[in-house]
Amino acid sequence: INNNTISTQSTGCVVTRNLQNDDLTVFCKGSPEMIQSLSIQDSIPHNYSEMLDSYTREGYRVIAFWLEKKIDSDIGWHNVQKMKRSELECDLNFCGFLIMENHLKDDTSACIMDLTDSKTRVCMVTGDNILTAITVSKKCGIVPSRHGELFDVILLTVADGSVAMQN
């Protein structure tokens, strides 16, 4: 599969061929939001959004997976390699979440504090879920986590070559 990606692409897939019987199978992964929108809706758990929200609020990185999809072997291996992603990444069954925790390095918070004390503005640039990003930025001191105080969080969204900003 031609897997050229752009910054707005939030899925990836691979097609495998079983050499014993020539079965072709698609396996995909991607952002939970994109996987939810492209999956067969009956395969999405009723508490999908709540589970995602719970994990991202704890600062975990979350990747969603589609369950395999069989491709008609009459199409042939060479023709599958020429198929568009949109033909492969559709009508798949949601399989589950991969939950990952990235621990901060020991000196991260101290480094952020040194930069802040020297009046250097510190920001985070990430492609993670916004709740994951906010939680991690609080843990390392980019965004203070004092209860009841408001701090600026600016969300930039890049789509179709344009940038949208939310404050």
Side-chain angles (χ1 to χ4, degrees):
I1 295 173
N2 182 349
N3 199 16
N4 295 331
T5 59
I6 55 173
S7 61
T8 57
Q9 193 122 33
S10 54
T11 60
C13 72
V14 63
V15 177
T16 63
R17 179 177 60 168
N18 184 325
L19 296 177
Q20 293 177 342
N21 58 19
D22 282 338
D23 282 350
L24 302 172
T25 307
V26 180
F27 297 94
C28 299
K29 61 93 179 163
S31 74
E33 298 81 8
M34 185 60 74
I35 297 293
Q36 183 178 20
S37 72
L38 296 175
S39 293
I40 296 171
Q41 290 307 299
D42 288 345
S43 71
I44 302 291
H46 70 280
N47 61 344
Y48 186 96
S49 296
E50 291 82 8
M51 288 189 317
L52 176 60
D53 185 64
S54 171
Y55 291 127
T56 56
R57 284 185 185 277
E58 293 295 318
Y60 294 112
R61 296 191 65 213
V62 181
I63 297 176
F65 288 92
W66 281 317
L67 197 55
E68 63 187 66
K69 168 184 164 180
K70 300 290 184 192
I71 297 176
D72 186 354
S73 58
D74 292 340
I75 292 175
W77 178 246
H78 294 291
N79 290 327
V80 167
Q81 294 179 61
K82 298 174 187 174
M83 290 176 75
K84 294 180 181 178
R85 290 179 67 135
S86 60
E87 295 175 88
L88 297 170
E89 295 180 347
C90 63
D91 299 329
L92 296 164
N93 290 303
F94 172 73
C95 180
F97 292 126
L98 171 65
I99 311 300
M100 298 177 288
E101 181 176 19
N102 290 340
H103 295 281
L104 294 176
K105 294 179 181 173
D106 292 338
D107 60 348
T108 298
S109 295
C111 182
I112 301 275
M113 187 180 295
D114 288 345
L115 289 167
T116 303
D117 289 346
S118 71
K119 306 294 185 224
T120 301
R121 184 171 182 189
V122 179
C123 68
M124 176 188 291
V125 177
T126 181
D128 284 338
N129 177 289
I130 187 63
L131 296 176
T132 300
I134 290 171
T135 301
V136 171
S137 66
K138 285 180 178 180
K139 285 181 181 178
C140 69
I142 292 175
V143 174
S145 58
R146 296 185 292 261
H147 183 69
E149 294 186 38
L150 298 178
F151 298 93
D152 284 340
V153 175
I154 299 171
L155 173 62
L156 297 177
T157 306
V158 179
D160 300 325
S162 61
V163 177
M165 184 172 82
Q166 283 180 275
N167 193 355

